[in-house]
Amino acid sequence: MSLAVCPGSFDPITNGHLSVIKRAAKLFDEVIVVVMVNYKKPHGCFTVEERVSLITKCVEDIPNVKVDAYGGLLADYTKMKKADAVIKGLRAVSDFEVEFQQALINKKLNPDVETVFVTAGAEYMYLSSSVVKQVCELGGDVSEFIPEIIYNDVVNRIKERMTNQ
Ligand code: ADP
């Protein structure tokens, strides 16, 4: 059984993330999407529990995908799960430098795991969670950027956060 881990902040999950997850699910027997709790950005827009729940709704119909959260090192998580690969999505050359460095460090920390880079669909090249939040906060339409099944949850949460600020 091959196992891949898809790590990220997913604050919130976008169609770009989902496209990467679907590709991973075709390449590996099992995929775990893991919300990494970033100690540098402890307060995202969505709580970790909310992010896990949003992702879970989006992958409900993909039987070999599970969702989890982790607050430590990705290398320790991959060791614990005995994963074969880490899947990272690349948008543009700008992603490459950071991802390349992370892949090399992760390889050093856990030599048993390979980092596999995939692209999302070309239509999502420009998409990030930050773009979704910014457009939504300024009243723009984000329906093309996030899965339909979580559209209301995401928009309501971002608006609620705006009014409480
Ligand atoms: P974001 O930059 O949107 O906050 P995350 O930290 O949640 O993203 O990203 C998790 C992974 O998903 C990273 O490998 C990131 O490069 C990838 N990713 C995010 N959005 C896209 C996209 N639109 N196309 C390809 N990969 C993406």
Side-chain angles (χ1 to χ4, degrees):
M1 284 281 278
S2 59
L3 169 66
V5 168
C6 273
S9 317
F10 303 101
D11 186 37
I13 184 171
T14 67
N15 282 333
H17 291 124
L18 192 57
S19 168
V20 168
I21 294 165
K22 284 182 177 167
R23 280 157 206 248
K26 282 190 189 158
L27 293 172
F28 292 87
D29 295 321
E30 228 186 286
V31 172
I32 307 177
V33 181
V34 59
V35 176
M36 299 301 292
V37 185
N38 186 340
Y39 72 98
K40 283 189 183 162
K41 291 189 270 178
H43 307 294
C45 179
F46 295 82
T47 65
V48 171
E49 292 72 25
E50 282 170 335
R51 294 180 216 181
V52 166
S53 138
L54 291 171
I55 301 168
T56 305
K57 274 192 184 180
C58 297
V59 299
E60 245 164 22
D61 57 344
I62 319 175
N64 59 334
V65 176
K66 291 191 187 120
V67 189
D68 198 3
Y70 190 65
L73 274 177
L74 178 61
D76 290 337
Y77 185 79
T78 53
K79 266 185 207 165
M80 185 173 80
K81 293 289 173 185
K82 298 188 171 56
D84 300 292
V86 167
I87 300 275
K88 298 307 287 279
L90 286 182
R91 276 162 287 204
V93 183
S94 50
D95 273 344
F96 182 78
E97 208 170 325
V98 177
E99 296 294 355
F100 186 64
Q101 189 187 30
Q102 277 185 16
L104 292 175
I105 291 174
N106 285 331
K107 185 74 183 165
K108 188 95 190 148
L109 295 173
N110 182 0
D112 295 334
V113 169
E114 298 299 333
T115 297
V116 177
F117 293 109
V118 297
T119 56
E123 66 275 36
Y124 304 129
M125 283 294 282
Y126 56 88
L127 200 51
S128 68
S129 301
S130 313
V131 162
V132 168
K133 286 180 280 192
Q134 279 166 13
V135 172
C136 191
E137 279 170 8
L138 296 171
D141 179 8
V142 292
S143 56
E144 276 183 44
F145 305 155
I146 49 180
E148 200 183 338
I149 192 159
I150 58 165
Y151 179 80
N152 286 334
D153 296 338
V154 169
V155 172
N156 292 341
R157 183 77 180 86
I158 293 173
K159 285 187 178 153
E160 187 186 286
R161 190 166 160 263
M162 290 281 290
T163 50
N164 291 338
Q165 268 177 356

